[in-house]
Amino acid sequence: MDLSPSEVRLQCRQGTFHYPTPGIANGSLQANLVILPRTLAFDFLVFCTRNPKPCPLLDVTEVGNPEPEIVAPGADLRTDLPRYHVFRNGEFEDEVGDVSDIWQNDFVGFLVGCSFSFEAALMDEGIPVRHIQEGKNVPMYKTNIACKTAGEFSAPLVVSMRPLSPADVVRAVQITSRFPKAHGTPIHFGSPEDIGIKDINAPDFGEAVTIAEGEIPVFWACGVTTQLAILQPKPEIAITHAPGYMFVTDVKDDHFSW
Amino acid sequence: MDLSPSEVRLQCRQGTFHYPTPGIANGSLQANLVILPRTLAFDFLVFCTRNPKPCPLLDVTEVGNPEPEIVAPGADLRTDLPRYHVFRNGEFEDEVGDVSDIWQNDFVGFLVGCSFSFEAALMDEGIPVRHIQEGKNVPMYKTNIACKTAGEFSAPLVVSMRPLSPADVVRAVQITSRFPKAHGTPIHFGSPEDIGIKDINAPDFGEAVTIAEGEIPVFWACGVTTQLAILQPKPEIAITHAPGYMFVTDVKDDHFSW
């Protein structure tokens, strides 16, 4: 039986849910998590504001308050995700199931949209999503496009790729236009070299997928951009979700769509 | 002859442009201005993020830097608007043509979308905009809808009203859907009482307009909400544009539209 968002979060809190979240609490919006100290929070918020395609903000918590009041009132960002990554001075330190013991009164939590929402919408319209068909993680690439910087935050734009037929590219542009909080429309399609990708079969993150005859690689801004950006200022401490282990919100996949 | 955006800004800088900006540099996106010290900038940015309909962010400057690099590279927020309002401790102090002498190294500038963009789009489609037809300022009302708070920032949602026929309401929803950075879709139509407006003929700001037989009042979130919010924490100093004397950007009216 499919769990509700609050049931998923409760099981995370109780330490009994340890699974990746794709397909979980189906139809609920899932989010990337970033936690930073207050001293860096302003510049990071400006970074997200300047780069809304890779970093679409869904919710920002009050300083020291772990509750995302807009998308999941009553939830607790310290306990309600299945897995967290902890970084110290810009370096990965640990993967943990709970960050209550390292929570600080000056922490600010950011929830950033992810591509799951628009992938569901594509599949609802009969558009194939190759990495899901092939049971893989989506292929992701660093590009030669620089994000707009903010304070010490900077990053190359990271993109995810889905191969589509020309007719499906057209339809996918229409559909993803409706999901500005899930990275929105593609940033490029066609030649990978145009955006600095040397080998489409060697993604920087995730796994390569089959590109069939007549299909065009289509590139969307990707939330992994956020993960690169937050380590640039070498923050004393930063916390994120573990890749694939997202925060499950109470709002529907299309809550921020028009 | 119509001035270009940079010509308008240069004339402001030289002290020779003292006029309201509606209709100026036609087709260019205009913006509300808020300047706050760094200590309040984070919470205000969170306020805008939580209330994107009244406070759609177009650009945020780096701390101490008066250049809005995204929408008007090379421009200077200290000099390039025709009129400014200066507030001290949450009270209006002065209207001036230049804020260079009171600029501080800890100032952050926020440019917030305004309704001019979508009004142009409505008129392009043949939808009448009553206050423009009648040569008046748009009627604006405080509602009983509270914005989401952030830190010490709070405000009632302020709305602007345009009366439309039912068929034009439908079309206006479609058109304004495309302008999320210009307050987007209406937040209400029909009964003013439903959102706490006691007398539609007595707006809190601007001027009353004629509502013809068969027309429905349609309410959009309004940037004046921002002006109320910034005074709540009684900031030692805050600067805004003077109402009607907006910042003229280099990007087109539909730059942020899809």
Side-chain angles (χ1 to χ4, degrees):
Chain A
M1 201 195 78
D2 198 26
L3 296 170
S4 75
S6 58
E7 286 167 343
V8 173
R9 297 196 305 261
L10 182 63
Q11 291 192 12
C12 289
R13 202 178 300 189
Q14 293 170 336
T16 58
F17 187 99
H18 311 287
Y19 319 105
T21 51
I24 297 296
N26 224 351
S28 300
L29 188 69
Q30 298 195 13
N32 298 284
L33 172 69
V34 169
I35 296 173
L36 286 171
R38 169 71 176 87
T39 48
L40 288 169
F42 173 68
D43 283 340
F44 182 66
L45 189 48
V46 174
F47 183 84
C48 293
T49 303
R50 289 186 183 154
N51 298 284
K53 283 196 128 176
C55 313
L57 279 169
L58 306 178
D59 207 342
V60 183
T61 64
E62 286 294 296
V63 178
N65 183 349
E67 179 185 0
E69 294 181 18
I70 293 180
V71 296
D76 189 328
L77 294 180
R78 298 172 298 188
T79 53
D80 291 1
L81 285 82
R83 307 294 296 165
Y84 298 82
H85 278 184
V86 180
F87 300 83
R88 303 260 183 194
N89 305 309
E91 303 285 340
F92 174 76
E93 186 190 66
D94 203 4
E95 181 169 312
V96 297
D98 186 312
V99 295
S100 298
D101 56 328
I102 54 171
W103 181 263
Q104 298 176 186
N105 286 336
D106 68 340
F107 275 178
V108 177
F110 300 84
L111 292 173
V112 174
C114 82
S115 56
F116 296 171
S117 318
F118 85 72
E119 290 181 343
L122 292 176
M123 289 186 291
D124 282 349
E125 301 267 347
I127 296 179
V129 177
R130 185 61 36 78
H131 64 276
I132 294 176
Q133 292 179 311
E134 298 187 341
K136 291 177 175 170
N137 191 358
V138 67
M140 292 165 276
Y141 310 83
K142 290 186 200 179
T143 70
N144 60 8
I145 302 167
C147 288
K148 295 192 176 78
T149 62
E152 294 182 80
F153 291 95
S154 65
L157 178 66
V158 177
V159 293
S160 60
M161 189 279 287
R162 293 160 193 81
L164 296 175
S165 73
D168 282 346
V169 174
V170 173
R171 189 75 184 116
V173 169
Q174 289 184 307
I175 293 168
T176 57
S177 291
R178 296 187 51 234
F179 289 86
K181 291 288 191 184
H183 306 306
T185 48
I187 62 108
H188 180 60
F189 64 89
S191 166
E193 295 77 19
D194 287 357
I195 54 171
I197 299 171
K198 294 208 178 69
D199 184 354
I200 196 74
N201 294 311
D204 294 299
F205 312 96
E207 298 168 88
V209 298
T210 308
I211 302 176
E213 186 70 27
E215 285 184 339
I216 299 159
V218 186
F219 300 94
W220 275 268
C222 175
V224 169
T225 310
T226 316
Q227 312 278 320
L228 299 187
I230 60 163
L231 301 182
Q232 276 298 313
K234 302 198 184 306
E236 203 171 305
I237 184 163
I239 300 168
T240 70
H241 67 287
Y245 298 76
M246 318 294 280
F247 180 74
V248 180
T249 76
D250 280 341
V251 302
K252 292 286 165 196
D253 255 347
D254 61 359
H255 178 77
F256 291 102
S257 303
W258 45 268
Chain B
M1 201 195 81
D2 199 28
L3 296 169
S4 75
S6 59
E7 286 167 343
V8 174
R9 297 196 304 261
L10 181 63
Q11 291 194 11
C12 289
R13 202 178 299 188
Q14 294 171 334
T16 58
F17 187 100
H18 311 287
Y19 319 106
T21 52
I24 298 296
N26 224 352
S28 299
L29 188 69
Q30 298 195 14
N32 299 283
L33 171 69
V34 168
I35 296 174
L36 286 171
R38 170 71 176 87
T39 48
L40 288 170
F42 173 69
D43 283 340
F44 181 66
L45 190 46
V46 174
F47 183 83
C48 293
T49 303
R50 290 187 182 153
N51 299 285
K53 284 197 126 175
C55 313
L57 279 169
L58 306 178
D59 206 342
V60 183
T61 64
E62 287 293 296
V63 178
N65 184 348
E67 180 185 2
E69 295 181 16
I70 293 180
V71 296
D76 189 328
L77 294 180
R78 297 172 298 187
T79 54
D80 291 2
L81 286 82
R83 305 296 295 164
Y84 298 82
H85 278 184
V86 180
F87 301 83
R88 303 261 183 195
N89 305 308
E91 303 284 341
F92 174 75
E93 186 190 64
D94 204 2
E95 181 168 312
V96 297
D98 185 312
V99 296
S100 299
D101 56 329
I102 53 170
W103 180 264
Q104 298 176 187
N105 286 334
D106 68 341
F107 274 178
V108 178
F110 301 84
L111 292 172
V112 175
C114 81
S115 57
F116 296 171
S117 318
F118 84 73
E119 289 182 344
L122 292 176
M123 290 185 291
D124 282 350
E125 300 267 347
I127 296 180
V129 177
R130 185 60 37 79
H131 65 276
I132 294 177
Q133 291 180 312
E134 298 188 342
K136 291 179 174 170
N137 191 358
V138 68
M140 293 165 274
Y141 309 84
K142 291 187 198 176
T143 69
N144 60 8
I145 302 168
C147 288
K148 293 190 177 81
T149 62
E152 294 181 82
F153 291 95
S154 65
L157 178 65
V158 177
V159 294
S160 60
M161 188 279 288
R162 293 160 193 81
L164 297 174
S165 73
D168 282 346
V169 175
V170 172
R171 189 76 185 115
V173 168
Q174 289 183 309
I175 294 169
T176 57
S177 292
R178 296 186 53 234
F179 289 86
K181 291 290 192 184
H183 306 306
T185 49
I187 63 107
H188 180 60
F189 65 87
S191 167
E193 295 77 19
D194 286 358
I195 55 173
I197 299 171
K198 294 207 179 71
D199 184 355
I200 197 74
N201 294 312
D204 294 299
F205 312 98
E207 297 168 88
V209 296
T210 308
I211 303 176
E213 186 69 30
E215 286 184 338
I216 299 158
V218 186
F219 300 93
W220 275 269
C222 174
V224 169
T225 309
T226 316
Q227 311 278 323
L228 299 187
I230 59 163
L231 300 182
Q232 276 298 313
K234 302 199 185 306
E236 203 173 303
I237 184 163
I239 299 168
T240 70
H241 66 286
Y245 298 77
M246 318 294 281
F247 180 74
V248 179
T249 76
D250 281 341
V251 303
K252 292 286 165 198
D253 255 348
D254 61 359
H255 178 77
F256 291 103
S257 302
W258 46 267

